[in-house]
Amino acid sequence: MASLGELERAVMDLLWAGHEAATANTLRDLLAQTTAAHGGAAGHEGKDLAVTTVLTVLSRLEKKGLVERERGMRPHRYQAVSSREDHTAELMHEVLGSAPDREAVLARFIGSVTESEAETLRKLLGHS
Amino acid sequence: MASLGELERAVMDLLWAGHEAATANTLRDLLAQTTAAHGGAAGHEGKDLAVTTVLTVLSRLEKKGLVERERGMRPHRYQAVSSREDHTAELMHEVLGSAPDREAVLARFIGSVTESEAETLRKLLGHS
DNA sequence: TTGAAGTTCTACGTCGCGTAGAAAACAACG
DNA sequence: CGTTGTTTTCTACGCGACGTAGAACTTCAA
């Protein structure tokens, strides 16, 4: 239950962008930004999204546990539950988790990371 | 375009099981095994699958590039294109690939692998 | 030739997702 | 308090993916 649709991803991108800054996003902000980002992408030229469309997507993302909504304030505030990096790492674990031979998968996996990434990994694993 | 449905996964599990042994799978084999494995799972008790059902799934998996079909022999032979481990590792790369800050994701990722897996990674990364 | 096994084509129901209208809830203003 | 503009909820349609399978065509063996 992890994969995102195109619009869902566009919205998450916005929310993730504001995650570090702990930005409280209102629907209006998101609508404007989403219309720009999503509409600007290939195949979606000039497509002005309806307010309810973004709302629906936000609700679905909330149900999926990716978005948290503060209902206290009147224009509700929407924000990503976790950072993009955390989410992606978690996704990787989900993918890996479904494998019987995790170590074999890891072997293949690190066989195709860039050298700089391998270096990063060495540093992070360094001190046992 | 990577995620698999429940039945698709069940079939892939069978094909992956035979991948190492380079086993050539006929439809009959798969039908029998799938009915056992899939039907035995939770929520699918005693569900006897139709031959065409498995065939359809195999066709879809073929279209997705996960299954290869030898059309030479009369009962066609079906087999997984790559091992489960390779496929899973590739999936992990797909997930990782969509991240702007790959190294940050990797940091989170290795932060939550088991110690034995970390050990394996150290070995694999050991000598640059 | 005939029949069983295998394969192709087509299709239906469900569900997730993009999309949005209708209506209800609400806040602010006169 | 009633009118009005904003925000949220409810409901729904179309499409594509997937589980499921019937109907019909192909092929091989007896």
Side-chain angles (χ1 to χ4, degrees):
Chain A
M1 216 270 267
S3 81
L4 298 181
E6 198 174 348
L7 182 53
E8 289 177 327
R9 181 161 301 274
V11 170
M12 284 312 296
D13 278 343
L14 294 178
L15 293 178
W16 276 325
H19 182 80
E20 299 293 296
T23 305
N25 300 276
T26 70
L27 175 61
R28 285 214 91 58
D29 296 342
L30 291 173
L31 177 59
Q33 293 179 275
T34 304
T35 300
H38 189 62
H44 291 271
E45 313 299 334
K47 204 55 172 137
D48 266 32
L49 296 173
V51 196
T52 49
T53 299
V54 178
L55 235 338
T56 302
V57 167
L58 283 169
S59 296
R60 287 175 180 162
L61 290 170
E62 194 187 9
K63 191 175 305 175
K64 291 184 190 181
L66 295 183
V67 164
E68 195 174 23
R69 166 191 328 216
E70 289 183 50
R71 290 190 146 82
M73 344 232 72
R74 181 44 186 170
H76 295 179
R77 302 306 152 88
Y78 305 86
Q79 57 195 318
V81 163
S82 55
S83 74
R84 188 211 307 270
E85 290 74 29
D86 280 344
H87 177 255
T88 306
E90 201 178 313
L91 261 193
M92 288 176 65
H93 273 293
E94 270 177 40
V95 170
L96 176 61
S98 70
D101 191 347
R102 297 165 60 97
E103 309 211 343
V105 173
L106 286 176
R108 262 82 164 186
F109 175 72
I110 67 163
S112 43
V113 295
T114 73
E115 180 48 39
S116 96
E117 284 165 349
E119 190 53 43
T120 304
L121 288 176
R122 276 189 211 99
K123 243 173 263 168
L124 288 161
L125 289 164
H127 41 47
S128 90
Chain B
M1 216 272 266
S3 82
L4 298 181
E6 198 174 348
L7 182 53
E8 289 177 328
R9 182 160 301 275
V11 170
M12 284 311 297
D13 279 342
L14 294 178
L15 293 178
W16 275 325
H19 181 81
E20 299 294 296
T23 305
N25 299 276
T26 69
L27 175 61
R28 286 215 90 57
D29 295 343
L30 292 172
L31 177 59
Q33 293 179 276
T34 302
T35 300
H38 188 60
H44 290 274
E45 313 300 335
K47 203 67 169 119
D48 266 33
L49 296 173
V51 196
T52 49
T53 298
V54 179
L55 235 341
T56 301
V57 167
L58 283 169
S59 295
R60 287 176 181 162
L61 289 171
E62 192 186 9
K63 192 175 304 176
K64 291 185 190 180
L66 295 183
V67 163
E68 195 174 25
R69 167 191 327 214
E70 290 183 49
R71 289 189 146 83
M73 346 231 71
R74 183 41 189 171
H76 295 179
R77 301 307 150 88
Y78 306 86
Q79 56 197 318
V81 163
S82 54
S83 73
R84 188 210 308 268
E85 289 74 29
D86 280 344
H87 176 255
T88 306
E90 201 178 313
L91 263 192
M92 289 176 65
H93 273 294
E94 270 176 41
V95 171
L96 176 61
S98 69
D101 190 348
R102 298 164 57 97
E103 310 211 341
V105 174
L106 286 176
R108 263 81 164 186
F109 176 74
I110 67 161
S112 42
V113 295
T114 72
E115 180 47 40
S116 97
E117 283 166 349
E119 190 52 44
T120 304
L121 288 176
R122 272 187 215 102
K123 240 172 270 171
L124 288 161
L125 290 164
H127 33 44
S128 84

